[in-house]
């Protein structure tokens, strides 16, 4: 049993499979990598107040440390390395760590759970990582509560941006949507909801060039792409809503994917199209994208994998 990736999904799968005596090996990723950060996206957050069991909230990295410690307690082995190649023509399946061109894989496994997650598409500006969790966010559902009665910005023009802005209007005093074009890409119904919302304003033909602030975000340096005029937008929060990228490049050509790159699993299951390979968490969830749903799907993957291995081990019956 090899679990590729960590985060709430992978580590929950590790807890369940370790308790089932399946001796899982977790390849949790590397800290230097942006695509498979050990612990997932929660490692880049501060306060988490919507995860059950923590009435006073918990820091994202602390929560993931609890997950990790619990998996280790039950006997999971965790390596802080990233998988560089997989070969899914087995089983047993091959997983490479390090040089992907070596003839023999580093590990072979009867079953694999994929939990490599997804990453938010960011603007790539200076100080972006510094302000993440300190006024800068990628999840309104996670962090909107912290911006009650404040003026905040949402960057983007698609359905995700309009959904974020509409949701944030429950808390914020004012929302400014910063969009690089003069019309939205969002569906008509999402546009209509946002345009009709008195709390939402639009800053058209504009891009964000810089983040402003000392220890927390205090504003955005913005620029009109048509006139070149630069100005400062005074906001205490900014939500980047220009999309997500699933970490699925490792599985291209081997696992079935949606057009947007997310892995396809069977309905009400974590099974992929390859027997013995399961996927859980944000790598296959392009809708909910929450820590608690990722953990739930990690549990599902563990149970699916355990039952798969039981069926393989069961002797054939019949005449």
């Amino acid at each position: 049993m090899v679990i590729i990736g960590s985060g709430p999904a992978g580590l929950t799968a590790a807890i369940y499979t370790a308790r089932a005596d399946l001796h899982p090996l977790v390849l949790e990723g590397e800290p230097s990598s942006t695509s498979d950060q050990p612990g997932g996206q929660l490692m880049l957050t501060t306060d988490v107040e919507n995860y059950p069991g923590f009435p006073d909230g918990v820091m994202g990295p602390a929560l993931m440390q609890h997950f990790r410690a619990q998996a280790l307690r039950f006997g999971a082995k965790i390596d802080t390395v990233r998988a560089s190649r997989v070969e899914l023509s087995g089983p047993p399946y091959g997983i490479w760590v390090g040089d992907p061109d070596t003839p023999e894989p580093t590990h072979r496994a009867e079953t694999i759970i994929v939990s490599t997650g997804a990453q938010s598409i960011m603007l790539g500006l200076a100080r972006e990582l510094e302000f993440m969790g300190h006024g800068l966010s990628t999840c309104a559902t996670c962090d909107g509560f912290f911006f009650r009665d404040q003026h905040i910005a949402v960057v983007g023009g698609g359905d995700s941006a309009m959904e974020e802005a509409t949701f944030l209007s429950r808390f914020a005093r004012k929302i400014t949507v910063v969009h690089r074009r003069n019309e939205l890409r969002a569906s008509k119904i999402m546009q209509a909801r946002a345009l009709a919302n008195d709390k939402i304003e639009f800053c058209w033909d504009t891009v964000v060039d810089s983040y402003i602030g000392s220890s927390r975000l205090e504003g955005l340096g913005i620029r009109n792409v048509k006139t070149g005029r630069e100005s400062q937008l005074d906001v205490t929060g900014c939500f980047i809503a220009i999309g997500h990228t699933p970490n699925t490049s490792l599985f291209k050509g081997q696992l079935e994917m949606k057009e947007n790159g997310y892995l396809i699993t069977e309905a009400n299951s974590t099974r992929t199209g390859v027997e013995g390979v399961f996927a859980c968490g944000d790598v296959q969830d392009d809708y909910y994208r929450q820590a608690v749903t990722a953990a739930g799907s990690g549990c599902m993957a563990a149970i699916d994998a355990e039952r798969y291995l039981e069926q393989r081990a069961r002797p054939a019956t019949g005449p």
Side-chain angles (χ1 to χ4, degrees), residues 8-195:
L11 292 176
T12 299
I15 292 167
Y16 272 77
T17 52
R19 292 186 75 247
D21 288 332
L22 296 179
H23 310 291
L25 168 64
V26 182
L27 307 180
E28 69 172 347
E30 295 176 338
S32 60
S33 174
T34 58
S35 62
D36 58 357
Q37 166 78 30
Q41 295 186 74
L42 282 182
M43 296 298 291
L44 304 177
T45 64
T46 51
D47 292 316
V48 178
E49 292 196 333
N50 58 359
Y51 198 88
F54 295 89
D56 297 321
V58 60
M59 299 292 281
L63 177 60
M64 294 322 302
Q65 185 57 41
H66 287 315
F67 273 72
R68 195 177 191 274
Q70 192 169 359
L72 289 170
R73 175 194 167 199
F74 290 116
K77 182 180 179 182
I78 301 178
D79 285 351
T80 308
V81 297
R82 67 184 299 268
S84 57
R85 174 185 163 196
V86 295
E87 174 54 58
L88 303 182
S89 59
Y93 303 113
I95 304 104
W96 279 256
V97 170
D99 185 358
D101 296 322
T102 56
E104 288 297 318
T106 313
H107 304 285
R108 291 193 181 276
E110 291 296 318
T111 184
I112 293 175
I113 293 177
V114 179
S115 57
T116 47
Q119 55 185 320
S120 299
I121 300 173
M122 302 301 291
L123 300 180
L125 301 176
R127 305 184 71 190
E128 201 157 57
L129 186 59
E130 175 187 345
F131 283 119
M132 186 63 66
H134 300 279
L136 188 62
S137 176
T138 59
C139 178
T141 306
C142 309
D143 299 329
F145 178 82
F146 299 114
F147 295 89
R148 189 176 296 277
D149 299 323
Q150 298 180 38
H151 179 195
I152 58 180
V154 172
V155 179
D159 278 353
S160 293
M162 296 307 101
E163 186 175 0
E164 298 275 274
T166 302
F167 178 84
L168 289 167
S169 68
R170 304 179 188 180
F171 308 100
R173 168 175 50 86
K174 177 182 176 182
I175 298 114
T176 299
V177 175
V178 180
H179 186 41
R180 60 183 176 177
R181 299 187 178 92
N182 61 0
E183 60 181 8
L184 299 170
R185 296 179 291 104
S187 60
K188 296 298 182 183
I189 188 169
M190 295 302 295
Q191 289 189 42
R193 288 175 184 170
L195 291 167

Side-chain angles (χ1 to χ4, degrees), residues 216-229:
R216 286 190 60 85
L217 186 71
E218 298 171 8
L220 303 173
I222 59 175
R223 173 174 48 87
N224 186 289
V225 296
K226 290 186 175 179
T227 66
R229 180 177 177 271

